[in-house]
Amino acid sequence: MRAAIVGGGLGGVAAAVALRKVGWDVVVLERAPEFGEVGAGIGMMPNAMRALDALGLADQVRRIGTPKVAGGVRDLSGRSLVRVAAGEHVVAVHRADLHRVLRSALPERCLVTDTEVTSTDDLDADLVVGADGIRSRVREALFPDLPRPVYAGATAWRSVTAVPFARELEIGQTLGLGTEFGILPLGDGRVYWYAATLAPPGGTSTDLAEVRRLAGHWHHPIPALLDATPPDTVLRHDVHELRTPPPSYVRGRVALLGDAAHAMTPYLGQGACTAIEDGVVLASALARFGTVPEALTHYDRERRPRGRKVARMSRLAGRFGHHLRHPLAVTARNTVLRALPTSAAVRGMSTFTAWRAPQLSPDR
Ligand SMILES: Cc1cc2nc3c(=O)[nH]c(=O)nc-3n(C[C@H](O)[C@H](O)[C@H](O)COP(=O)(O)OP(=O)(O)OC[C@H]3O[C@@H](n4cnc5c(N)ncnc54)[C@H](O)[C@@H]3O)c2cc1C
């Protein structure tokens, strides 16, 4: 059986690895001239680590990812609002490295660049996977009337420091007024950081001075991280989301996956995590059910509620995170967070990170 995967982002390449694990022949068709990920770091939450484990790649990712350090949420003076013990955490990696690890599990012949798919009709395959991102043409062809992705109200800057920081540097999220700053140490000591702020859409400045203006006076180590960042490495993206989910993730022999199916705000760090989950569930369904239509029905039934739920929670996390900018609202939110026992915070997080991956093997 042969699958054609449209789009070679993290979702498409992870799906290719998963499908090969259950005995499918795959080809990933990517429009860009080469495979890889631009961008800074990315956080793999425990659910994604389980999906990567099913792909046989979790240890490799752990080796290049965040060491076991504690983490938490702080206010902009650095006062702790929520503490999370070491071990309960996200594993952050450089996006390019994660993509490389996934690609390393695929033979070269599966990866085709410079190929923009304009219609899936002519693809010679038993299954077509639309993994072509938030502006998915595959989704548009399946559901032409579905409203397009919308601006989610915030813009985000990201980069990675050029120099390593102390090994014990903690994972952190700092909530200011209408702005948040995230700190995610990578395995080699460099630090991935992001800053998100409420702003009108369309801003393009990647000037580090803008980030300094927003958060450069916040608690240690934020100013030091910005000082250690080469200005020409800063990326900026407006945050968009697919607010109206498609009525199905499947139609005929086509399945949607990742941002093509459920582009969500990044406030829970779950977009790529759930994209990787998608590929594992799709492959497991194809291995378990006798026919592609049966497997796709199962895939849709499993994944659509999950995509909708995580996207909704992510939107909510933004609303109570950096979308709050009135000082009274921020103080009230911070008071509630500080009063919350750690166990309650961890439980809240585990409502979406507790996802278990199906095992992948050709005979299941
Ligand atoms: C600021 C920010 C921070 C984020 N942080 C996190 C995080 O910490 N953790 C997390 O899990 N997620 C995070 N995300 C979300 C994550 O980046 C995305 O959800 C994820 O990368 C989606 O992967 P994908 O493979 O579905 O789509 P994409 O990465 O968009 O890949 C789609 C691919 O398809 C190709 N393509 C498109 N059209 C065609 C076509 N017609 N033919 C052939 N190829 C095509 C594109 O070139 C691209 O390579 C963040 C997002 C943002 C904006």
Side-chain angles (χ1 to χ4, degrees):
M1 299 292 272
R2 181 179 155 87
I5 299 176
V6 182
L10 293 167
V13 176
V17 178
L19 288 170
R20 275 181 51 82
K21 270 196 122 28
V22 296
W24 278 61
D25 193 12
V26 295
V27 61
V28 184
L29 306 168
E30 168 56 49
R31 70 176 169 195
E34 52 190 72
F35 279 94
E37 276 270 313
V38 285
I42 191 152
M44 294 285 97
M45 303 290 276
N47 50 311
M49 292 310 294
R50 282 184 219 107
L52 288 165
D53 201 29
L55 301 181
L57 300 173
D59 287 342
Q60 275 190 65
V61 172
R62 255 183 225 107
R63 271 199 293 280
I64 57 169
T66 313
K68 280 199 175 173
V69 287
V73 182
R74 294 175 185 275
D75 67 15
L76 54 86
S77 66
R79 209 149 51 124
S80 176
L81 302 174
V82 176
R83 276 292 290 150
V84 181
E88 313 260 13
H89 70 300
V90 48
V91 176
V93 284
H94 199 288
R95 277 180 185 251
D97 292 337
L98 177 60
H99 203 273
R100 201 171 302 117
V101 167
L102 290 164
R103 277 196 330 267
S104 70
L106 294 170
E108 281 282 311
R109 63 179 166 78
C110 297
L111 298 166
V112 178
T113 52
D114 268 324
T115 305
E116 174 150 20
V117 176
T118 51
S119 160
T120 58
D121 295 345
D122 306 329
L123 295 174
D124 173 23
D126 303 286
L127 165 74
V128 174
V129 178
D132 50 343
I134 187 167
R135 310 270 162 212
S136 169
R137 283 173 96 142
V138 177
R139 183 186 64 233
E140 270 177 41
L142 295 188
F143 306 108
D145 297 331
L146 192 73
R148 302 285 156 96
V150 295
Y151 182 55
T155 194
W157 290 264
R158 294 174 277 176
S159 191
V160 174
T161 63
V163 293
F165 275 66
R167 291 294 290 172
E168 39 307 321
L169 187 76
E170 293 191 356
I171 296 169
Q173 180 189 26
T174 300
L175 299 175
L177 278 64
T179 301
E180 77 171 70
F181 194 96
I183 300 172
L184 290 142
L186 305 178
D188 60 8
R190 289 179 305 152
V191 181
Y192 161 50
W193 61 260
Y194 67 85
T197 195
L198 297 175
T204 52
S205 165
T206 55
D207 194 348
L208 198 53
E210 271 204 63
V211 185
R212 283 210 172 90
R213 187 179 54 75
L214 288 167
H217 54 291
W218 288 9
H219 65 83
H220 176 76
I222 294 172
L225 295 175
L226 297 180
D227 286 345
T229 301
D232 59 350
T233 63
V234 179
L235 296 169
R236 175 182 183 167
H237 288 100
D238 280 351
V239 175
H240 290 86
E241 64 169 327
L242 189 60
R243 204 161 282 163
T244 311
S248 174
Y249 285 2
V250 303
R251 179 167 284 181
R253 60 172 183 157
V254 183
L256 297 173
L257 167 156
D259 277 9
H262 46 67
M264 60 184 73
T265 59
Y267 310 136
L268 289 179
Q270 280 289 338
C273 295
T274 48
I276 299 170
E277 287 182 11
D278 287 340
V280 172
V281 173
L282 179 62
S284 150
L286 289 162
R288 269 173 57 202
F289 291 90
T291 65
V292 170
E294 279 178 289
L296 293 194
T297 302
H298 174 84
Y299 169 74
D300 178 52
R301 207 178 294 138
E302 283 254 314
R303 296 310 297 168
R304 203 147 40 88
R306 168 94 176 139
R308 211 175 32 229
K309 180 177 171 187
V310 181
R312 205 172 38 227
M313 289 176 77
S314 192
R315 201 173 303 130
L316 211 61
R319 212 168 285 158
F320 289 100
H322 68 270
H323 281 228
L324 289 188
R325 62 176 146 191
H326 192 287
L328 285 178
V330 169
T331 305
R333 189 262 329 275
N334 290 359
T335 307
V336 170
L337 284 181
R338 234 187 330 266
L340 213 62
T342 302
S343 57
V346 170
R347 223 178 15 255
M349 230 170 67
S350 71
T351 57
F352 58 91
T353 59
W355 178 85
R356 300 272 151 194
Q359 292 304 304
L360 296 181
S361 63
D363 51 337
R364 288 172 67 90

